[in-house]
Amino acid sequence: MVTVVDDPQTAACSYWQGPGETSTREVIERFCRPDLDYVDLGAWVGMTVLWAAPLSRQVIAVEPDQSARASLMVNASANADNVTVVPLAVSDQTGSARLEQGTCGWGDSMSSLICRRGAAETVEVDTITLPDLWEQGHIGECSLVKIDIEGGEGLVLPAACEFLHDLGCPVHLSLHWNWIPADRRAAVQAALDTFTMETLDGSPMLPTVLLS
């Protein structure tokens, strides 16, 4: 049993009412270990964080959307003492960028560094590369890295491909092909081709894969 905040963002997550993302939970249970760290990039309100926390040495939960992060922090603090919430967006550079709200507003799990809708509200957020995140967060050996950043993988994956290989752990990646700009898709595919890839969800435009 977990204790979660009663708000629209948390209620929208099917996990709180039922099994949630079955394949994601299975991967977390398959790989997370009490002597290794779990890193969640795009942690949203904490569904995957709360699955991983009891199985991991520490959880690093990265979430740039302030509305989602508020729920994440409450949910994490009520259920675990080994979760560090990082208020940054992972990107291909350390600095700042505009974060675009999701279709249903802030906190809906779809905010993105890939600004696609010109009329949508945006805010400036601090960004960080994966190597800088590991160094500044003092992250140790990892069991699993999850990346679900709503098209931002188009920035991160080509830039951090070699770094992810060097980590030596599986990467649970949600791809958003229809959000990734066309001029970045070839670089993303080239990065993917350097991994062994297991398809977890074969949706043509929104596949979830496990990279090793």
Side-chain angles (χ1 to χ4, degrees):
M1 290 292 294
V2 294
T3 301
V4 296
V5 62
D6 181 13
D7 66 12
Q9 286 81 22
T10 299
C13 180
S14 61
Y15 164 69
W16 310 125
Q17 292 84 38
E21 297 184 17
T22 303
S23 64
T24 301
R25 187 164 191 170
E26 288 175 349
V27 167
I28 288 172
E29 293 176 346
R30 175 179 165 191
F31 289 104
C32 285
R33 288 171 37 185
D35 58 334
L36 298 175
D37 297 344
Y38 167 75
V39 179
D40 196 316
L41 309 177
W44 191 33
V45 298
M47 171 177 70
T48 48
V49 167
L50 296 191
W51 288 339
L55 305 174
S56 303
R57 177 172 57 193
Q58 71 166 334
V59 175
I60 307 298
V62 181
E63 179 52 60
D65 184 319
Q66 184 176 4
S67 180
R69 191 171 64 248
S71 298
L72 166 64
M73 293 176 69
V74 172
N75 291 334
S77 64
N79 294 278
D81 59 5
N82 62 340
V83 177
T84 299
V85 176
V86 179
L88 301 172
V90 291
S91 187
D92 57 349
Q93 59 184 341
T94 295
S96 63
R98 302 301 297 184
L99 183 74
E100 182 182 80
Q101 70 176 0
T103 306
C104 299
W106 296 112
D108 71 349
S109 84
M110 293 184 287
S111 56
S112 175
L113 291 180
I114 305 301
C115 295
R116 304 172 300 121
R117 301 175 296 125
E121 181 180 338
T122 65
V123 296
E124 188 168 350
V125 296
D126 292 328
T127 62
I128 194 167
T129 65
L130 291 191
D132 285 350
L133 174 65
W134 256 251
E135 180 179 358
Q136 295 179 24
H138 305 290
I139 302 172
E141 186 178 359
C142 294
S143 61
L144 180 68
V145 174
K146 171 189 153 281
I147 304 175
D148 187 359
I149 51 177
E150 309 303 309
E153 66 274 12
L155 301 170
V156 172
L157 192 59
C161 179
E162 184 175 348
F163 177 80
L164 289 170
H165 276 290
D166 289 344
L167 289 178
C169 70
V171 177
H172 181 283
L173 173 67
S174 296
L175 284 161
H176 304 76
W177 284 117
N178 54 336
W179 288 26
I180 298 171
D183 61 355
R184 291 186 175 271
R185 292 175 189 171
V188 173
Q189 187 60 60
L192 291 173
D193 289 342
T194 69
F195 293 90
T196 299
M197 185 164 63
E198 175 186 344
T199 300
L200 303 174
D201 180 345
S203 170
M205 297 306 294
L206 297 170
T208 300
V209 298
L210 187 68
L211 306 180
S212 59

